[in-house]
Amino acid sequence: KKGTIIVIVSGYRFLLTDINECESSESNSCDINALCTNTKGSYVCRCKRGYEGDGRFCKGKFSQTLSHTHNL
């Protein structure tokens, strides 16, 4: 969803179109296990429940260890 941002520099008013970087994974650097939130002029990545990290890199909080028993 696009929005309009008003920027005033030295008394001049500029209208900028905000692009939703969260609409496509190609437009942001969020991890596949993160939620992307669009903000004015940018976006924020946050790891999904059960994962931890900075949103750009998320890893599972719980790792599973597999043990195999072989009978000879």
Side-chain angles (χ1 to χ4, degrees):
K1 188 175 181 180
K2 294 182 181 180
T4 302
I5 300 172
I6 299 172
V7 179
I8 300 173
V9 179
S10 300
Y12 292 96
R13 189 175 176 181
F14 299 92
L15 297 177
L16 306 174
T17 300
D18 180 43
I19 298 170
N20 184 350
E21 295 88 354
C22 297
E23 284 184 339
S24 168
S25 61
E26 295 175 4
S27 300
N28 66 67
S29 60
C30 296
D31 189 272
I32 193 167
N33 294 307
L35 300 172
C36 183
T37 303
N38 189 53
T39 61
K40 288 185 179 181
S42 191
Y43 63 96
V44 177
C45 304
R46 185 173 39 99
C47 295
K48 294 177 183 177
R49 184 175 294 169
Y51 293 87
E52 59 187 5
D54 63 2
R56 289 183 30 218
F57 302 99
C58 301
K59 65 177 183 174
K61 287 184 181 180
F62 309 103
S63 60
Q64 189 176 35
T65 304
L66 299 176
S67 62
H68 297 282
T69 305
H70 297 283
N71 294 326
L72 299 176

